[in-house]
Amino acid sequence: STEGNHPNGRTGRIAGAGDRFATATADDLLAGTAENGGDSMKIQKLSWWRMVWRLLGMTRSLLKTLAVAIVAGSLGHIAAIAIPVLGAWSMVQVMNGNQPSLKNLAAAFIVLGLLRAALHYIEQLANHDMAFRILAVIRDRVFKALRRQAPAGLDQQNSGTLVSIITNDIEL
């Protein structure tokens, strides 16, 4: 394995074929090229759409949770919209001389408010469950990639720093 040296000290390794490593500086990584034993290799930068499709691919096992989140969110918004609509309807009824039942209106407002709260909770629970499961999948893939490079690819790295970088996305 080889390691690149740069005048400003910013160097890194890029996994190549087998046990070979390409040398790269931070500038090479930003430019999208790195040297691999004389051959230039292109570092693939994912477009926004490719990244979204890749993340959606990770959610295949979570389709039930995704469906629950979508249905609960949609119904919750309908319940939230129904509250002022019901209030406007009752005002129109009063202006037309009809007297809607205050008992029924109060019950409807309470039911819609509680329904909105419950559906919002279910939506947030499903979304957070899905997000943390996807982060676990991503973290598992990162650690598998790190294990493939160890010890040659990570001999200069502090393991605590690596774990901190990888797990810094989780709020405890």
Side-chain angles (χ1 to χ4, degrees):
S1 73
T2 60
E3 186 170 346
N5 292 316
H6 195 271
N8 63 8
R10 297 181 302 174
T11 61
R13 295 181 181 190
I14 302 172
D19 291 329
R20 295 175 56 193
F21 286 92
T23 61
T25 65
D27 296 330
D28 294 333
L29 293 173
L30 291 174
T33 59
E35 292 300 318
N36 187 7
D39 299 329
S40 180
M41 67 185 275
K42 188 76 173 166
I43 299 171
Q44 181 181 6
K45 182 178 178 188
L46 290 178
S47 70
W48 185 84
W49 285 108
R50 286 191 68 171
M51 183 175 50
V52 168
W53 282 113
R54 185 175 283 184
L55 288 172
L56 284 175
M58 291 181 193
T59 64
R60 266 189 236 132
S61 64
L62 301 170
L63 286 179
K64 286 182 183 179
T65 307
L66 182 62
V68 167
I70 290 170
V71 169
S74 300
L75 292 176
H77 284 319
I78 290 171
I81 292 169
I83 293 171
V85 168
L86 181 62
W89 175 83
S90 63
M91 288 175 58
V92 168
Q93 291 299 316
V94 168
M95 290 170 64
N96 287 336
N98 299 330
Q99 184 64 28
S101 169
L102 291 179
K103 190 178 201 180
N104 290 341
L105 278 176
F109 281 122
I110 290 170
V111 168
L112 286 172
L114 291 174
L115 188 61
R116 170 65 177 137
L119 289 169
H120 182 69
Y121 178 78
I122 292 168
E123 176 194 13
Q124 291 296 312
L125 185 67
N127 283 332
H128 281 82
D129 179 56
M130 198 168 32
F132 286 118
R133 288 180 190 265
I134 290 171
L135 285 173
V137 168
I138 292 170
R139 189 178 300 112
D140 184 55
R141 289 181 183 184
V142 168
F143 276 111
K144 283 180 182 175
L146 287 173
R147 274 190 232 113
R148 282 193 301 266
Q149 288 188 3
L154 304 172
D155 58 352
Q156 303 283 325
Q157 298 293 324
N158 180 349
S159 62
T161 303
L162 287 172
V163 170
S164 175
I165 290 169
I166 293 167
T167 60
N168 198 22
D169 59 355
I170 299 294
E171 295 178 28
L172 297 177

